């Protein structure tokens, strides 16, 4: 299996936009999106539709996830899976590996700099890819200093549990600062992306991929909507 980062790069080179579908059973702002059983079935359908990678939210209280959901989806698909949760410790990284995750989300907003440095280096040591998530220009600069080659911009404030009305404009504003210099960095615009135009805006601002959950699961036909979002090409953005 290719790594999470490699899968994004390969998809970007082949055609369209890498859309990482976010499997969260509950949206704190929108309510129930999926049952865990539906999520496992849909994961196989998303892979068949051409997905390069997916993410699974395991936080149980506000997002309705579980480690079992992560394991079940990992067993069902052959593409890399990111574990999303409020991870702060080495032990939680070990648990992510035990349940089959290829990558693990490390959020600047919930960790001190020392905690981030420790978890980042430990993840690399253990062979699981760390996705460093930022929400402010200061956090993005820290991620750059850290040497993160897999970086996310969360368009929403995760500490407000998706109730802050964040939009793709966060990505546009943060990318306009020109702080990112690492040519090997893969950037993912996360959350608050609802439409094809939002995808175009994120890619046009410099994102290599987008992570979308709620908009896909609220669509009348989630798989077809995924395909529509993923059909955006760089040529369309430039044009």
């Amino acid at each position: 299996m290719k790594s999470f980062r490699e899968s994004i790069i390969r998809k970007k080179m082949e055609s369209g936009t890498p859309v990482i579908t976010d499997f969260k059973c509950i949206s704190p702002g929108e309510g129930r999106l999926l049952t865990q059983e539906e999520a496992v079935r849909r994961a196989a359908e998303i892979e068949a539709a051409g997905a390069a990678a997916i993410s699974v939210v395991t936080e149980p209280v506000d997002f309705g996830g579980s480690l079992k959901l992560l394991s079940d989806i990992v067993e069902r698909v052959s593409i890399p899976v990111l574990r999303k949760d409020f991870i702060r410790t080495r032990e939680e990284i070990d648990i992510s590996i035990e349940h089959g995750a290829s990558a693990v989300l490390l959020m600047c907003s919930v960790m001190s700099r020392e905690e981030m440095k420790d978890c980042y280096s430990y993840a690399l040591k253990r062979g699981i890819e760390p996705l460093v998530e930022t929400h402010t220009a200061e956090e993005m600069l820290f991620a750059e200093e850290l040497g993160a080659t897999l970086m996310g911009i969360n368009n929403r404030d995760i500490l407000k549990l998706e109730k802050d009305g964040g939009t793709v404009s966060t990505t546009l504003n943060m990318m306009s600062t020109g702080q990112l210099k690492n040519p090997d960095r893969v950037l993912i615009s996360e959350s608050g992306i609802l439409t094809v135009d939002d995808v175009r805006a994120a890619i046009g601002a410099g994102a290599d991929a987008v992570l979308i959950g709620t908009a896909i699961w609220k669509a009348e036909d989630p798989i077809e909507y995924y395909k529509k979002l993923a059909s955006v090409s760089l040529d369309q953005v430039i044009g």
Side-chain angles (χ1 to χ4, degrees), residues 6-236:
E6 288 172 342
S7 293
I8 292 172
I9 294 172
R10 177 64 62 85
K11 184 68 175 180
K12 183 179 178 181
M13 291 175 60
E14 289 175 350
S15 63
T17 296
V19 175
I20 302 161
T21 305
D22 193 31
F23 285 81
K24 57 184 175 186
C25 294
I26 296 173
S27 163
E30 301 288 342
R32 170 69 64 179
L33 300 174
L34 295 161
T35 66
Q36 294 200 14
E37 292 76 14
E38 288 171 331
V40 175
R41 173 172 56 83
R42 289 295 195 183
E45 294 174 353
I46 286 289
E47 178 180 24
I54 59 177
S55 71
V56 177
V57 182
T58 59
E59 194 283 328
V61 178
D62 293 299
F63 293 91
S66 69
L67 287 167
K68 182 180 185 303
L69 175 63
L70 174 62
S71 296
D72 288 348
I73 287 180
V74 166
E75 290 179 5
R76 192 70 179 268
V77 302
S78 60
I79 53 178
V81 178
L82 166 73
R83 180 192 176 193
K84 289 182 67 181
D85 209 324
F86 295 94
I87 292 170
R88 298 180 176 90
T89 68
R90 291 186 174 199
E91 180 182 7
E92 289 168 320
I93 292 172
D94 289 336
I95 290 170
S96 303
I97 294 170
E98 290 168 6
H99 286 79
S102 301
V104 62
L105 186 70
L106 302 179
M107 295 182 280
C108 289
S109 59
V110 302
M111 305 169 75
S112 69
R113 289 198 168 204
E114 289 308 310
E115 287 173 332
M116 175 62 80
K117 289 178 181 178
D118 182 65
C119 284
Y120 182 81
S121 62
Y122 184 71
L124 292 177
K125 180 180 178 181
R126 288 298 319 275
I128 187 171
E129 293 178 273
L131 168 55
V132 179
E133 181 182 282
T134 67
H135 180 64
T136 66
E138 181 181 8
E139 290 173 352
M140 187 170 69
L141 182 59
F142 171 58
E144 181 82 352
E145 293 170 353
L146 193 63
T149 56
L150 191 57
M151 187 186 306
I153 294 177
N154 195 329
N155 295 307
R156 291 178 170 141
D157 181 352
I158 189 60
L159 299 180
K160 295 182 180 179
L161 298 177
E162 301 186 352
K163 297 178 181 178
D164 62 336
T167 69
V168 73
S169 63
T170 302
T171 293
L172 275 60
N173 292 336
M174 287 176 62
M175 291 300 290
S176 69
T177 65
Q179 293 185 87
L180 299 183
K181 308 298 182 183
N182 186 351
D184 295 325
R185 175 260 309 144
V186 167
L187 179 75
I188 303 169
S189 181
E190 310 170 40
S191 298
I193 299 172
L194 305 177
T195 67
V196 166
D197 285 343
D198 288 342
V199 174
R200 289 196 184 104
I203 299 302
D208 299 290
V210 292
L211 186 147
I212 306 174
T214 301
I216 290 175
W217 304 125
K218 286 181 68 67
E220 183 176 349
D221 187 331
I223 306 304
E224 287 304 311
Y225 196 56
Y226 160 80
K227 291 178 181 179
K228 183 177 181 179
L229 295 169
S231 69
V232 175
S233 68
L234 185 59
D235 290 341
Q236 291 175 336

